[in-house]
Amino acid sequence: MGSSQSQPAPASSSLEAKQPCVVAMLHRAAQQHPNGLATIDGTRTRTWQECENRVGRLAAALRDTLKLSPNGRVGLVSLNSDRYFEVFFAVAWAGGIVVPMNIRLAPPEMVEQFNDCEAEIVLIDDAFAAAVVPVIRAKCPTIKHVVYCGNTPQSLLKLDYEQLITTHPKPCADTFRGGKDTFGLFCAFFFLLWLLLWLWRCVTEEAPGH
């Protein structure tokens, strides 16, 4: 019984044998529409098959290299992007719990949130790295690793999102989180605000003259 090793993504037969899981939608889309367009971020596009593969390899990095514990919390401080989408699935795939941070919080407030949930890993992009990283490094003792998930070359963080994926050529085994497993910890107020803004946008786009 050696150390955990990466394994290929599960086949559809094994997927059906497990409980309904968070990542099932991604597996199914990759099986049924492998060349279908999954994400668009500027000039960067991914098919469902590419997305599933990247998510599984990121999960391997989280679990095997960064040593995310079962039910370990993974914080995310980032603007919306294709990587944001991948992180949500990768954390569940690896057996962790995602904690998307309210980006309108000040760094000291983020510290309070990360300490409260005992975050182990944080992924952060260009918009927040300079202001947030020094603060959480100094005041969040449970955070073992901070990973840069932005687009601009920088020297602030040694761990890089794309490099982690590159160094893991195969996905790890999916933990099949689902049922009563916790998927994420969310700020209820932030989610409600987002929902209201989304509904307002839908209404205004359908209204005459828009």
Side-chain angles (χ1 to χ4, degrees), residues 137 146-148 154-161 163:
R137 276 180 169 167
V146 183
V147 179
Y148 175 70
Q154 52 83 52
S155 58
L156 182 63
L157 295 169
K158 294 181 179 179
L159 289 172
D160 179 80
Y161 185 96
Q163 289 180 357

Side-chain angles (χ1 to χ4, degrees), residues 4-204:
S4 175
Q5 296 183 355
S6 296
Q7 301 175 14
S12 57
S13 57
S14 61
L15 175 62
E16 297 302 326
K18 301 288 184 178
Q19 65 175 342
C21 68
V22 171
V23 193
M25 183 276 285
L26 180 59
H27 291 316
R28 191 169 295 110
Q31 292 162 6
Q32 296 179 355
H33 310 286
N35 298 317
L37 188 59
T39 61
I40 303 173
D41 192 330
T43 59
R44 189 168 60 220
T45 62
R46 313 279 188 202
T47 66
W48 283 111
Q49 189 173 61
E50 289 172 334
C51 187
E52 181 194 38
N53 182 265
R54 285 172 55 82
V55 167
R57 289 159 63 191
L58 178 59
L62 291 171
R63 195 185 68 185
D64 300 341
T65 298
L66 304 186
K67 305 302 180 184
L68 177 66
S69 63
N71 292 318
R73 275 60 167 173
V74 179
L76 181 57
V77 188
S78 172
L79 300 176
N80 188 30
S81 71
D82 52 351
R83 291 172 183 150
Y84 200 109
F85 175 82
E86 291 171 352
V87 169
F88 266 62
F89 286 109
V91 174
W93 189 316
I97 297 172
V98 67
V99 185
M101 188 57 57
N102 181 348
I103 59 175
R104 298 193 179 279
L105 294 178
E109 295 170 316
M110 292 187 186
V111 166
E112 183 178 349
Q113 297 283 344
F114 284 138
N115 284 335
D116 184 59
C117 73
E118 298 182 338
E120 297 180 11
I121 300 168
V122 172
L123 294 97
I124 192 163
D125 73 358
D126 314 87
F128 307 99
V132 176
V133 170
V135 180
I136 62 176
R137 276 180 169 167
K139 298 185 178 181
C140 296
T142 63
I143 295 177
K144 299 179 292 185
H145 302 288
V146 183
V147 179
Y148 175 70
C149 62
N151 295 313
T152 306
Q154 52 83 52
S155 58
L156 182 63
L157 295 169
K158 294 181 179 179
L159 289 172
D160 179 80
Y161 185 96
E162 293 298 331
Q163 289 180 357
L164 285 173
I165 292 177
T166 300
T167 55
H168 290 78
K170 294 182 180 180
C172 65
D174 191 346
T175 58
F176 292 98
R177 292 186 67 82
K180 295 183 179 180
D181 296 327
T182 301
F183 167 64
L185 302 176
F186 301 85
C187 174
F189 173 78
F190 178 68
F191 176 77
L192 180 60
L193 178 62
W194 173 86
L195 179 61
L196 291 172
L197 289 172
W198 179 78
L199 290 172
W200 174 82
R201 181 178 179 182
C202 291
V203 170
T204 55

